[in-house]
Amino acid sequence: MLRTQTVRNILSWYEGETPGLKSNLSRLLMHGRLAGTGRVVILPVDQGFEHGPARSFAANPVAYDPHYLYELAIDSGVSGYAAPLGLLEQGADTFAGEVPLILKLNSGNSLVGAQDQALTGKVEDAMRLGCVGVGFTIYPGSDSSYDMMEELREISLQAKSRGLMTVVWSYPRGGKVSKEGETGFDIIAYAAHMAALMGATIIKVKLPTAHIDLDAARSTYEKAQIPGTNAADRVRHIMQAAFAGKRLVVFSGGAAKNTDELLEEVRAIREGGGNGSIIGRNSFQRSKAEAIALLNQVMDIYA
Amino acid sequence: MLRTQTVRNILSWYEGETPGLKSNLSRLLMHGRLAGTGRVVILPVDQGFEHGPARSFAANPVAYDPHYLYELAIDSGVSGYAAPLGLLEQGADTFAGEVPLILKLNSGNSLVGAQDQALTGKVEDAMRLGCVGVGFTIYPGSDSSYDMMEELREISLQAKSRGLMTVVWSYPRGGKVSKEGETGFDIIAYAAHMAALMGATIIKVKLPTAHIDLDAARSTYEKAQIPGTNAADRVRHIMQAAFAGKRLVVFSGGAAKNTDELLEEVRAIREGGGNGSIIGRNSFQRSKAEAIALLNQVMDIYA
Amino acid sequence: MLRTQTVRNILSWYEGETPGLKSNLSRLLMHGRLAGTGRVVILPVDQGFEHGPARSFAANPVAYDPHYLYELAIDSGVSGYAAPLGLLEQGADTFAGEVPLILKLNSGNSLVGAQDQALTGKVEDAMRLGCVGVGFTIYPGSDSSYDMMEELREISLQAKSRGLMTVVWSYPRGGKVSKEGETGFDIIAYAAHMAALMGATIIKVKLPTAHIDLDAARSTYEKAQIPGTNAADRVRHIMQAAFAGKRLVVFSGGAAKNTDELLEEVRAIREGGGNGSIIGRNSFQRSKAEAIALLNQVMDIYA
Amino acid sequence: MLRTQTVRNILSWYEGETPGLKSNLSRLLMHGRLAGTGRVVILPVDQGFEHGPARSFAANPVAYDPHYLYELAIDSGVSGYAAPLGLLEQGADTFAGEVPLILKLNSGNSLVGAQDQALTGKVEDAMRLGCVGVGFTIYPGSDSSYDMMEELREISLQAKSRGLMTVVWSYPRGGKVSKEGETGFDIIAYAAHMAALMGATIIKVKLPTAHIDLDAARSTYEKAQIPGTNAADRVRHIMQAAFAGKRLVVFSGGAAKNTDELLEEVRAIREGGGNGSIIGRNSFQRSKAEAIALLNQVMDIYA
Amino acid sequence: MLRTQTVRNILSWYEGETPGLKSNLSRLLMHGRLAGTGRVVILPVDQGFEHGPARSFAANPVAYDPHYLYELAIDSGVSGYAAPLGLLEQGADTFAGEVPLILKLNSGNSLVGAQDQALTGKVEDAMRLGCVGVGFTIYPGSDSSYDMMEELREISLQAKSRGLMTVVWSYPRGGKVSKEGETGFDIIAYAAHMAALMGATIIKVKLPTAHIDLDAARSTYEKAQIPGTNAADRVRHIMQAAFAGKRLVVFSGGAAKNTDELLEEVRAIREGGGNGSIIGRNSFQRSKAEAIALLNQVMDIYA
C-alpha cells in the first residue's frame, strides 16, 4: 500500500528530521489495520518491570512467553509493539520484520521508592533488533526529572542520527504535582508540551481529568475559558499543547473500569484529534481472542 | 501483509545475522509486486557515474530529475531502488518510506582508466537516508581487487552491526580474466562464490555466457559435465556456487538486444532458480509508461 | 560428545545472540557430569569478598589456596566455576581449558554498609582468562539498584559482542523489600523476571519461601491461585517468570541446615523445572572427599 | 575428558601467552578422535576462494552447501575446521560449539596475478562466531611478503589479546624462491622458522621435498649433514626449525597422487614428530563416506 | 646474580601475568641486600602528603631534599623505594636505574576529613620514570571504598598490560570497622584477602593486633581455633588469607615504640612467613647513619 495523503501530511510536520527517521515513522503509520489513517494503536509491555511478572501475566499465563506477545501484536494488526530489551530479544529473530518495534530504553520497578528509572537498553540494541524507534520515560516534577531529561537528550541525539524515532512517555509526578495532579488537565498539557519541546517524535501521555492542579495555571484556564468539561475537549487542548497538533500524541487508559468505558475514552481521543492509544494490560491480560476482539473494536473507532 | 513461508525460509539461511538485518531483508522481500515470492526486481541507477549523464538520461530526459527515478521505482512496484548518494538524497525526504533503498557506497567513472571505484558514500549516510542496505562493487581480478575486497570487509562489518544488508556487485575484470571472460560461465560462478565467502547478503552478477575462461577450470567443467549450454542451466550453476542456493543472487542483463530477448533471459533466471533481476537502463531510458509496462512483464514472469 | 537435542533446544531460546555466545553456552552445558542434560551445577566462590577469608575457608583450610578450588571444580565434574578476578587468575594458566570459567565482575564486602558492589573485574579480563561468561550482581530495591542495572547494561553489551554470556545474580534487598521479603515468593519471581528483561543469559536467584512480600502483589497471587505451598511449585512459578522457562535459572541454597534438607531442595528445583544449583559454601567448606560426594549426590538428582 | 600430560606439556611451551589462548589451544587439542594425543587433523576449506567453486566442489556437489562442510568436520571427528568468513557464517549458529573453528582472515584468488591476499575477515568476526583462533597466510619471498607480515603482526596482537590463537599458513613463493623451491627442504624449514619467529601458535607448511633451493643454504645442509633423504627426516628438521619442536606444525599434502601415497606421507609426518595434517580437497572432494573413511585412516596413524 | 630457586618459585605463583610484570617483580626481588631471599624491605615516603612536611621531615631536615631519600634507599641496600610523583621525579634522572621505584598513584592528606585519596599520578608517569610498579591505597569499609576499588581495577589493568606490578596498600577504615578494628586480626586478614582478589602483585597491610572486630567473624575464629595470641601466628594467618601464601605480603609497623620492639615485630613477620616490611618514618626521621644501621638490622633478620 502506498502512503496516503494523511501520512504524507504528518511526515511534513517533522521538518528537519532525517529521511531515515521519517521512513521509520512511515513504517509505523503504514503498518497494520490503521495503516494510512494517521492513527496508531500500540501494544506496550513494560508492566513486568513496573509491577512484576505475576501482576502482569497471571491473569493470562500464556503471556509469560515473549513469543505470545509478538503474536498478539502481529495477529491483532496493531501499529507497533513496545517493550524492554529482554522481551524484544526473545522473538526478534523469529518475527523479524513482522511488526514495527519500539525498544523501551529505561525502566522502573516497584521495589524502589525513588521516582526514577534505570537505563536498561541502548540505541545500539535498537538497531541490532531492527526497531523503528526507541522509547523513554520522563517524570517531570520528580527529583530525578532533570537527570532523566538530560538522559533523554543524549539518547534522542544518538537515536535520531541513526534514523530512529524517539517516543517519550511523559508522566509528571513528584515536585509540585499532587497525586490527583498526575492526570490533571493542566499537568498533562504541560507534560505533552515539554515532550514536544524536547524533540519527541511521538508523545505518550495519560488521558487527563478535568482537575487543574497548579494554582498558577488555574486563572489562565478560567480566563481563557479553555473548554475542559468533556474528555474530547481536553484531548483537543492536549493536541494544542503538542505544537498545535503537529506532533503525534497517543494516550494511555484513563479511569476506564470496563470495556464500554474504555471504548468511550477512545471515542473521545478520536473526537478530540488525538492520534491513538497505547493499550497494554487491557489486551495482554485477556485471552488472545478477547484481546484481539477489543483491539479491533478500538481500531474500528480510529479507522 | 504477513511474511510468507518462502520469505521465512530465505531469512533462515542468514543464520548468525542480527534481527535488524533480517528485518531489513524482510522489508525488501515483502515490498512491491513480488512481495512474498522470494524474488526481487531492483531498479539501479548508477549509470550516471559510470557513463555520464547524457549517455544515461538523454534518451528519456525526465530521468535527469532524481524525483522521476523515485517515482519510477514506486509506481512500477519494484522491490527496491539502488543508487549513489546524490540521487538518493534528492528525494529521500519526499518519498521517505515508500520504497526500500540501497545506497551504493562506491562508484567508478569512465574518465579514469583504472579498474577501481571511489568510496562515494558512507554507512552513516545509509542510516540517515533510511536505507535497508548498502551496495558495493568489487572487480575480482583487477589490480585493485584486493583493496576493494578489504574496503568491502570494513563496510560490511559496519553495515551489518547496524542492521543493514550488504549487496555486492561482483564484476570480475582484469588480471587473468579476458574481456570475453568477464561474463564467462566459470568466472561468474567464481564471482558469485567469492561474494558469498565475503558475507554478502545479496549477490549481484551478470548473466553468464557459455564461455569458459580459465584454462585451469575448463577440465573441471568438462569432467564434471556441468550443464551450461542453456542460460537456465548456467543460472542453476551460479546458484550452486552461492552456497547451494542459500544466498540471494540477482542478475543484470546479458546480451539482450530487445525486449523479447530480455524477457527470455528473465525466464531463464527464473527457471534456473535465480532470485531476480536488476534492470536499469532498460527501464529508465524508456518512457515511464513503457518502463512500467516492461517491469511488469518481468515481474509477471517472476511472480 | 556431541550436543544433545536438549541442549540444541536450549540454545534455540537465545535467538538473536551471536554464535559465539551460543558456543560458550554450549561449552557450559556440555561440560562435566551433567553434560547434555540441560541442567548445571556451578561452584561459586565469592564468599571471601562477601564475608572475609576466615569465615569462608577456616572450616577447610586447604581452600585458602586458589588451586584447591580449581581442583574441586574439575575433580567433582561440576559444570562451571565462578569467582572474582584474583581467584581465577591464580590457576587460570595451570588449569587452562579444564573447566568453564565465569568471572564475577562486581563484588561487595561486609565492611561496607551500603547495598552496593564494586566493579572488581573487566570484560577484557574475562577474555584474557578464557572465560565462557561474566557474572554480575544486582540488588533490585536498593538505593544503588538503578546504577547497578546501568552498569550491568554496559557490561552486558561489551560481553555479548565478544561472545561471552552474562550471568546475573538478582538479589533484591532494600527499598520496599522487607528482610523476610528478600526470599519472598513474589520478590524472587520479580527478581528473575527483571534479570530476563535485562538480557541475562543465565539467571541466579535464591530459592523462594512461601512468603508474599508486596501488598500490591498479594491479591494477584491469591486471585490467580498461583500454587506456592511447596518448593517445587514455587520453582515452577519462578521459571514462568523467566520467559515461560526460556531462560536458564539456577538457584542458591535456601534455608537448608543439613545435607538432607539441601538434597530435598535440589529435588524441588528439579521437579519444578529449574535448571540447577549454585553450591558454594556447602562444597568448599567440607573436606574434598565430602564435597565431591555431596556434589555427586546433587548431580545424581539432576542427571 | 581431562587434559592429558601430552597436552599439558604442549601448553607449557606457549609461556607468556594468556590463559585464554591456552584455553582455546586446549579446546583444539582435546576435541575429536585425536583428543589428548598432541596431534591434530584439520579440515580447511579455502579452495573456493583459491580456485573457484567448480574446481573445489563439482567432484562432490553436496559440498557446495556450507552445512555439509560443518557436518563433515563434526561427523569425521577431526580436530577443527578452518574456512573464510562466509563458509563459517553459514552454519555457525546451527552448529554452535560442535567443532573448534578457525576463521581464515585473508584469502587469495586465481583471477589475480599478484602473490598477495586480501583481508576478508576480522578478529571481531572470529569472536562473534565463537572461533578458537584465526588463520592467516604469508607468502615469504613475494613482493607483498613484508606487507603480509605486517598485517599478520597487527592481527596477531589483536587476536591474542582476546585469547584467540594465530594459525599461520607460511607458503614461500616469488623473490629468490624457484617454483621447485616452494616445497624445497631448506625453504620449508625457513618458512616454518619465520612463522615461529612471528609468534604463530600453530604453523602450517607444505610437506618438503629433498630439493635444496638456496645456494647459500646448500653448503650448510651438506656440511652439517642434515638428514633429508626420506620424508620423516625432513619433517624432523622442520620441527627443529620450529623452535626445537616447541611450536605445533601441521602439514598439507605433498606430491601424493593416491590414498596410499597420502597415508605414506602421514606416516612420515608422524615418524618425524610433526603434529598433524591439514586435509582439504582429499576429504571434501570425495563422497562423505569415503572422506570419513580416509580421515579415519589418517587419524588412526596419528592416534 | 642469577635468580635463586626461591625467586623462581615466587614468580611461578603469578601465573597468567605477563613476562614483563614478572621481569619487574624479579628486579625488585633481586635488588639490594635481600636479593634472592624472597624477602623485601621497602622505603616508602608518602608521609609528606599524609601529615605535611614538618611532621615528616623536621626531625631530620636533610630529608626535605628528595635526593637524600634516593640516597638513603640506595645506600642502605633496601629492595625498593615507593613515593608520590614529585619525590620520584626529583631524582629519577640522577639515580636512574639505581633502585627499583614504585610510584604511589593516589594520596590523601590531613586537611580533608573524608576517607578517600586523590589520584596524583598516572601509569604513564610510572613508565616515564622507569618504575617497576605502581602503588595504590584502598580503604575497605569507607564510603569511598567501592570507588577506590574501581579506580584500582582500572589502574591495575593499565599497569599490568604494560608490565608494571600493582602494589596495594589495603587499609580498612570506616563503615563497620571500629577504630581499634583498623588493625584487628580479622580485619587485616580480610584486607589482605580483598587485595589478593583484586589482583594485587604485592599486598601491603598493617601488622595486626589480637583484636577481633566483626561480631560475625568472632565465632569463626573461636570455632576454628585460629591461633592469634602471638604476632607470628597472626602473620601466618594473614599469609593464609593471601592465597595460602602465594601473594607477597609486606607489613608496616605495628605498635612498636622503640627499636627493640620494631625488631621484635620484624622477627614475628619473618617467623610467620611474611615477605618483609615497609619502613618509612623509622628510617628517614633518623640520621642517615642511624637509619642505615636500623635498616641493616632489619635486613639481617630477613636475610
Side-chain angles (χ1 to χ4, degrees):
Chain A
M1 189 202 289
L2 292 179
R3 262 168 20 186
T4 61
Q5 195 49 49
T6 301
V7 170
R8 286 177 184 269
N9 189 37
I10 290 171
L11 295 187
S12 78
W13 302 336
Y14 291 86
E15 52 180 271
E17 300 289 3
T18 61
L21 185 145
K22 291 184 193 177
S23 172
N24 274 322
L25 176 52
S26 174
R27 285 166 74 188
L28 185 79
L29 291 169
M30 294 306 297
H31 181 85
R33 276 207 53 203
L34 292 175
T37 64
R39 312 275 180 159
V40 292
V41 169
I42 292 170
L43 173 69
V45 189
D46 49 0
Q47 286 77 3
F49 244 127
E50 293 280 337
H51 303 302
R55 287 173 66 196
S56 302
F57 307 121
N60 181 35
V62 290
Y64 281 113
D65 184 344
H67 276 210
Y68 173 82
L69 299 167
Y70 267 97
E71 285 162 0
L72 178 58
I74 292 164
D75 296 349
S76 64
V78 295
S79 313
Y81 169 41
L85 185 70
L87 281 188
L88 289 197
E89 283 186 331
Q90 173 69 3
D93 188 85
T94 303
F95 303 101
E98 300 205 25
V99 60
L101 300 176
I102 294 162
L103 178 62
K104 188 79 194 316
L105 293 190
N106 65 348
S107 308
N109 67 66
S110 313
L111 305 185
V112 177
Q115 290 169 328
D116 196 2
Q117 296 204 346
L119 294 168
T120 57
K122 296 180 75 82
V123 172
E124 286 89 340
D125 292 316
M127 308 201 63
R128 177 172 59 86
L129 296 171
C131 298
V132 297
V134 296
F136 196 86
T137 295
I138 54 174
Y139 293 143
S142 78
D143 290 350
S144 307
S145 63
Y146 287 163
D147 286 344
M148 296 180 95
M149 283 176 170
E150 294 181 7
E151 287 169 347
L152 169 58
R153 189 62 215 112
E154 286 298 324
I155 279 169
S156 191
L157 190 70
Q158 285 175 42
K160 289 184 171 184
S161 72
R162 290 164 174 80
L164 296 176
M165 296 189 290
T166 307
V167 183
V168 177
W169 274 242
S170 191
Y171 284 7
R173 62 184 61 177
K176 299 187 178 169
V177 183
S178 73
K179 189 70 196 166
E180 192 183 1
E182 292 178 6
T183 52
F185 188 25
D186 58 330
I187 298 293
I188 295 294
Y190 204 159
H193 190 62
M194 283 193 285
L197 288 172
M198 292 201 65
T201 315
I202 298 179
I203 296 162
K204 160 83 174 56
V205 289
K206 293 186 178 170
L207 197 62
T209 65
H211 170 77
I212 303 286
D213 201 54
L214 295 176
D215 290 338
R218 187 165 299 112
S219 63
T220 297
Y221 275 78
E222 286 168 357
K223 199 185 305 172
Q225 296 185 301
I226 300 172
T229 45
N230 70 63
D233 283 342
R234 292 193 296 268
V235 167
R236 199 167 288 118
H237 176 58
I238 303 308
M239 297 312 296
Q240 254 184 336
F243 292 173
K246 287 186 177 167
R247 282 296 171 271
L248 292 166
V249 182
V250 294
F251 294 85
S252 56
K257 291 286 177 294
N258 57 44
T259 300
D260 285 349
E261 285 176 22
L262 186 150
L263 295 176
E264 201 56 47
E265 287 177 358
V266 168
R267 275 181 213 104
I269 294 166
R270 176 183 218 281
E271 192 186 328
N275 298 95
S277 294
I278 283 205
I279 297 181
R281 277 169 287 182
N282 270 310
S283 60
F284 66 74
Q285 291 187 342
R286 303 178 185 215
S287 74
K288 192 171 174 189
E290 288 174 304
I292 288 181
L294 175 66
L295 289 168
N296 274 281
Q297 283 180 288
V298 169
M299 291 189 283
D300 282 345
I301 294 170
Y302 283 126
Chain B
M1 189 202 288
L2 292 180
R3 265 174 9 193
T4 60
Q5 195 49 46
T6 301
V7 170
R8 285 177 184 270
N9 189 37
I10 290 172
L11 295 187
S12 78
W13 301 336
Y14 292 87
E15 54 179 274
E17 300 290 1
T18 61
L21 185 145
K22 292 183 192 179
S23 173
N24 273 322
L25 176 51
S26 176
R27 286 167 73 189
L28 185 79
L29 292 170
M30 293 308 296
H31 182 85
R33 276 208 53 202
L34 292 176
T37 63
R39 313 272 181 160
V40 292
V41 169
I42 292 171
L43 172 68
V45 189
D46 49 0
Q47 288 77 3
F49 245 127
E50 293 280 336
H51 303 301
R55 286 172 65 195
S56 302
F57 306 123
N60 180 34
V62 290
Y64 280 113
D65 182 346
H67 276 212
Y68 172 82
L69 299 167
Y70 266 100
E71 285 162 0
L72 178 58
I74 293 164
D75 296 349
S76 64
V78 295
S79 312
Y81 170 41
L85 185 69
L87 281 188
L88 289 196
E89 283 185 331
Q90 176 67 5
D93 188 86
T94 303
F95 303 100
E98 299 204 26
V99 60
L101 300 176
I102 294 161
L103 178 62
K104 188 78 194 320
L105 292 191
N106 64 349
S107 309
N109 66 65
S110 314
L111 307 184
V112 177
Q115 290 169 327
D116 195 1
Q117 295 204 348
L119 292 168
T120 58
K122 296 179 74 80
V123 171
E124 286 86 344
D125 294 317
M127 308 200 65
R128 177 172 57 88
L129 297 171
C131 298
V132 297
V134 296
F136 197 86
T137 297
I138 54 174
Y139 293 143
S142 78
D143 290 350
S144 307
S145 64
Y146 287 159
D147 287 342
M148 295 179 95
M149 284 177 169
E150 295 182 5
E151 288 168 347
L152 170 57
R153 188 65 214 107
E154 287 297 327
I155 280 168
S156 189
L157 190 71
Q158 286 175 41
K160 288 183 172 185
S161 72
R162 290 164 174 81
L164 297 176
M165 296 189 290
T166 307
V167 184
V168 177
W169 274 242
S170 193
Y171 284 7
R173 61 184 61 177
K176 299 187 178 169
V177 183
S178 74
K179 188 67 196 168
E180 192 183 1
E182 291 179 5
T183 52
F185 188 23
D186 59 330
I187 298 293
I188 296 293
Y190 203 159
H193 189 62
M194 284 194 283
L197 287 174
M198 294 200 64
T201 314
I202 298 179
I203 296 162
K204 160 81 177 58
V205 289
K206 293 186 179 168
L207 196 62
T209 64
H211 169 75
I212 303 284
D213 202 53
L214 295 176
D215 290 339
R218 188 166 297 113
S219 64
T220 296
Y221 277 79
E222 285 167 0
K223 196 186 307 172
Q225 296 185 303
I226 299 172
T229 45
N230 70 64
D233 282 343
R234 293 193 296 267
V235 167
R236 200 167 287 118
H237 175 59
I238 303 308
M239 297 311 296
Q240 249 186 338
F243 291 173
K246 287 184 178 168
R247 283 294 172 270
L248 292 166
V249 182
V250 294
F251 294 83
S252 55
K257 292 288 177 291
N258 57 43
T259 300
D260 283 350
E261 284 176 22
L262 187 149
L263 295 176
E264 201 55 46
E265 287 177 358
V266 168
R267 276 182 212 103
I269 295 166
R270 177 183 217 283
E271 192 186 327
N275 298 98
S277 295
I278 283 206
I279 297 181
R281 276 169 289 181
N282 271 311
S283 60
F284 66 74
Q285 291 185 345
R286 302 178 186 214
S287 74
K288 191 171 174 189
E290 286 175 305
I292 289 181
L294 174 66
L295 290 168
N296 273 281
Q297 282 180 287
V298 169
M299 291 189 282
D300 282 344
I301 293 169
Y302 283 127
Chain C
M1 188 201 289
L2 291 180
R3 263 168 19 186
T4 61
Q5 194 50 48
T6 301
V7 170
R8 285 177 183 270
N9 189 38
I10 289 171
L11 295 187
S12 77
W13 301 337
Y14 292 86
E15 54 179 272
E17 300 289 2
T18 61
L21 185 145
K22 291 183 191 177
S23 172
N24 273 322
L25 177 51
S26 176
R27 285 166 74 189
L28 186 77
L29 292 170
M30 293 308 296
H31 182 85
R33 276 208 52 202
L34 292 176
T37 63
R39 313 273 180 159
V40 292
V41 169
I42 292 171
L43 172 68
V45 189
D46 49 0
Q47 286 78 3
F49 243 127
E50 293 280 336
H51 303 303
R55 287 173 66 195
S56 301
F57 306 122
N60 181 34
V62 289
Y64 281 113
D65 183 344
H67 277 211
Y68 173 81
L69 299 167
Y70 267 98
E71 285 162 0
L72 178 58
I74 292 164
D75 295 349
S76 64
V78 295
S79 312
Y81 169 40
L85 185 69
L87 281 189
L88 290 196
E89 284 186 331
Q90 174 68 4
D93 188 85
T94 303
F95 303 100
E98 299 205 26
V99 60
L101 301 176
I102 294 162
L103 178 62
K104 188 78 195 317
L105 293 191
N106 64 349
S107 309
N109 66 67
S110 314
L111 305 185
V112 176
Q115 291 169 328
D116 196 2
Q117 296 205 346
L119 294 168
T120 57
K122 297 180 73 82
V123 172
E124 286 88 342
D125 292 316
M127 308 199 65
R128 176 172 59 86
L129 297 171
C131 299
V132 297
V134 296
F136 197 87
T137 296
I138 54 176
Y139 293 144
S142 78
D143 290 350
S144 307
S145 63
Y146 287 159
D147 287 343
M148 294 179 97
M149 283 176 169
E150 295 182 5
E151 287 169 347
L152 170 58
R153 188 66 214 106
E154 287 297 327
I155 279 169
S156 190
L157 191 70
Q158 285 176 41
K160 288 184 172 185
S161 72
R162 289 163 174 82
L164 297 177
M165 296 189 289
T166 307
V167 184
V168 177
W169 274 243
S170 193
Y171 284 7
R173 61 184 61 178
K176 300 187 178 168
V177 183
S178 74
K179 188 68 197 165
E180 191 183 2
E182 292 179 6
T183 51
F185 188 24
D186 59 329
I187 297 293
I188 296 294
Y190 204 159
H193 189 62
M194 283 193 283
L197 288 174
M198 294 200 64
T201 314
I202 298 180
I203 296 161
K204 160 82 176 58
V205 289
K206 293 185 179 172
L207 196 63
T209 65
H211 169 75
I212 304 283
D213 202 53
L214 295 176
D215 291 337
R218 187 166 298 112
S219 63
T220 296
Y221 277 80
E222 286 167 359
K223 198 186 306 171
Q225 296 185 301
I226 299 172
T229 45
N230 71 64
D233 282 342
R234 293 194 295 269
V235 167
R236 201 167 285 118
H237 175 58
I238 303 308
M239 297 311 296
Q240 249 185 340
F243 292 173
K246 288 184 177 168
R247 283 294 171 271
L248 292 166
V249 182
V250 294
F251 295 84
S252 55
K257 291 287 176 295
N258 57 43
T259 299
D260 284 349
E261 285 177 23
L262 187 150
L263 296 176
E264 201 55 47
E265 287 177 359
V266 168
R267 275 181 213 103
I269 294 166
R270 176 184 219 280
E271 191 186 327
N275 298 96
S277 294
I278 283 206
I279 297 182
R281 277 169 287 181
N282 270 310
S283 60
F284 65 75
Q285 292 186 343
R286 303 178 185 215
S287 74
K288 193 170 173 190
E290 287 174 304
I292 288 180
L294 174 66
L295 289 168
N296 274 281
Q297 283 181 288
V298 169
M299 291 189 282
D300 282 344
I301 293 170
Y302 283 126
Chain D
M1 189 202 289
L2 292 179
R3 266 173 10 192
T4 61
Q5 194 50 46
T6 301
V7 170
R8 286 178 183 269
N9 189 37
I10 290 172
L11 295 186
S12 77
W13 301 336
Y14 293 86
E15 53 179 272
E17 300 290 2
T18 62
L21 185 145
K22 292 184 191 178
S23 173
N24 273 322
L25 176 52
S26 175
R27 286 167 74 189
L28 185 78
L29 292 170
M30 293 308 296
H31 182 85
R33 277 207 53 202
L34 292 176
T37 63
R39 313 272 181 160
V40 292
V41 169
I42 292 171
L43 173 68
V45 190
D46 49 0
Q47 287 77 1
F49 244 126
E50 293 280 337
H51 303 301
R55 287 172 66 196
S56 302
F57 307 121
N60 181 33
V62 290
Y64 281 113
D65 184 344
H67 276 211
Y68 172 82
L69 299 167
Y70 267 98
E71 285 162 1
L72 178 58
I74 294 165
D75 296 348
S76 64
V78 295
S79 313
Y81 170 40
L85 186 69
L87 281 188
L88 290 197
E89 282 185 331
Q90 175 67 5
D93 188 84
T94 303
F95 303 100
E98 299 204 26
V99 60
L101 300 176
I102 295 162
L103 178 62
K104 188 78 193 319
L105 293 191
N106 64 348
S107 308
N109 67 67
S110 315
L111 305 185
V112 176
Q115 289 169 327
D116 195 1
Q117 296 204 347
L119 293 168
T120 57
K122 296 180 75 80
V123 172
E124 287 88 340
D125 293 315
M127 307 201 64
R128 179 172 58 86
L129 297 171
C131 299
V132 296
V134 296
F136 196 85
T137 296
I138 54 174
Y139 293 144
S142 78
D143 290 350
S144 307
S145 63
Y146 287 161
D147 286 344
M148 295 180 97
M149 284 177 171
E150 294 181 6
E151 288 169 347
L152 169 57
R153 188 65 214 108
E154 286 298 324
I155 280 169
S156 192
L157 190 71
Q158 285 176 40
K160 288 184 170 184
S161 72
R162 290 163 175 82
L164 297 176
M165 296 189 291
T166 307
V167 184
V168 177
W169 274 242
S170 191
Y171 284 6
R173 61 184 62 178
K176 300 187 178 169
V177 183
S178 73
K179 189 69 196 166
E180 192 182 2
E182 292 179 5
T183 52
F185 188 24
D186 58 331
I187 298 293
I188 296 294
Y190 203 159
H193 190 62
M194 283 192 284
L197 289 173
M198 294 200 64
T201 314
I202 298 178
I203 296 162
K204 159 84 174 56
V205 289
K206 293 186 179 170
L207 196 62
T209 64
H211 169 77
I212 303 284
D213 202 54
L214 295 177
D215 290 338
R218 189 166 299 114
S219 63
T220 298
Y221 276 78
E222 285 167 0
K223 198 184 305 172
Q225 296 185 301
I226 300 173
T229 45
N230 71 64
D233 282 343
R234 292 193 296 268
V235 167
R236 198 167 288 117
H237 175 58
I238 304 307
M239 297 311 295
Q240 253 185 336
F243 291 173
K246 287 187 176 166
R247 282 296 172 271
L248 292 165
V249 182
V250 294
F251 294 84
S252 56
K257 292 287 178 291
N258 57 43
T259 300
D260 284 349
E261 285 176 21
L262 187 149
L263 296 176
E264 201 55 47
E265 288 177 357
V266 168
R267 276 182 213 105
I269 295 166
R270 177 183 217 280
E271 192 186 327
N275 298 97
S277 295
I278 283 206
I279 297 181
R281 276 169 287 181
N282 270 311
S283 60
F284 65 74
Q285 291 186 342
R286 303 178 184 215
S287 74
K288 192 171 174 189
E290 288 173 303
I292 288 181
L294 174 66
L295 289 168
N296 274 281
Q297 283 180 286
V298 168
M299 291 189 282
D300 282 345
I301 294 170
Y302 282 126
Chain E
M1 189 202 288
L2 292 179
R3 259 170 22 190
T4 61
Q5 193 51 46
T6 300
V7 170
R8 286 177 183 272
N9 188 38
I10 289 172
L11 295 187
S12 78
W13 301 336
Y14 292 86
E15 54 179 271
E17 301 290 1
T18 61
L21 185 146
K22 291 182 192 177
S23 172
N24 274 321
L25 177 51
S26 177
R27 285 167 70 191
L28 185 78
L29 292 170
M30 294 307 296
H31 181 85
R33 277 208 54 202
L34 293 176
T37 63
R39 313 275 180 160
V40 292
V41 169
I42 292 170
L43 172 68
V45 189
D46 49 0
Q47 287 78 3
F49 245 128
E50 293 280 336
H51 304 302
R55 287 173 65 197
S56 301
F57 306 122
N60 180 34
V62 291
Y64 280 112
D65 182 345
H67 276 211
Y68 172 82
L69 300 167
Y70 267 98
E71 285 161 0
L72 177 59
I74 293 164
D75 296 348
S76 64
V78 295
S79 313
Y81 169 40
L85 185 69
L87 282 188
L88 290 197
E89 284 186 329
Q90 177 67 4
D93 189 83
T94 303
F95 304 99
E98 300 200 28
V99 60
L101 301 176
I102 294 161
L103 178 62
K104 189 77 194 318
L105 293 190
N106 65 348
S107 310
N109 65 64
S110 313
L111 307 184
V112 176
Q115 291 169 326
D116 197 0
Q117 295 205 349
L119 293 167
T120 58
K122 296 181 73 78
V123 172
E124 286 87 342
D125 293 317
M127 307 196 65
R128 177 170 58 86
L129 297 170
C131 298
V132 297
V134 296
F136 196 87
T137 296
I138 54 175
Y139 292 144
S142 78
D143 290 350
S144 306
S145 63
Y146 287 160
D147 287 343
M148 295 179 96
M149 284 176 169
E150 295 182 5
E151 288 169 348
L152 170 58
R153 187 67 214 104
E154 287 296 328
I155 279 169
S156 191
L157 190 72
Q158 285 174 41
K160 289 184 172 185
S161 72
R162 289 164 174 80
L164 296 176
M165 296 188 290
T166 307
V167 184
V168 176
W169 275 241
S170 191
Y171 285 6
R173 60 184 62 177
K176 299 186 178 168
V177 183
S178 74
K179 188 68 196 166
E180 192 183 0
E182 292 178 6
T183 52
F185 188 24
D186 58 329
I187 298 293
I188 296 294
Y190 203 158
H193 189 61
M194 283 193 284
L197 288 173
M198 294 199 65
T201 315
I202 299 179
I203 297 161
K204 160 81 176 58
V205 290
K206 294 184 179 171
L207 196 61
T209 64
H211 170 76
I212 302 284
D213 202 53
L214 295 176
D215 290 338
R218 188 165 298 113
S219 63
T220 297
Y221 277 79
E222 287 166 0
K223 197 186 306 170
Q225 295 184 301
I226 300 173
T229 46
N230 70 65
D233 282 342
R234 293 195 294 268
V235 168
R236 200 167 286 117
H237 175 58
I238 303 308
M239 296 312 296
Q240 246 186 342
F243 292 173
K246 288 183 177 168
R247 283 294 171 272
L248 292 167
V249 182
V250 293
F251 295 84
S252 56
K257 291 289 176 293
N258 56 45
T259 300
D260 284 350
E261 284 177 23
L262 187 150
L263 296 176
E264 201 57 46
E265 287 177 0
V266 168
R267 277 184 211 100
I269 294 166
R270 176 183 218 283
E271 190 185 330
N275 298 96
S277 294
I278 283 206
I279 297 181
R281 276 169 289 183
N282 271 310
S283 59
F284 65 75
Q285 291 184 344
R286 302 179 187 213
S287 72
K288 191 171 174 191
E290 287 174 306
I292 288 180
L294 175 66
L295 289 168
N296 273 280
Q297 283 181 287
V298 168
M299 291 189 281
D300 282 345
I301 294 170
Y302 282 127

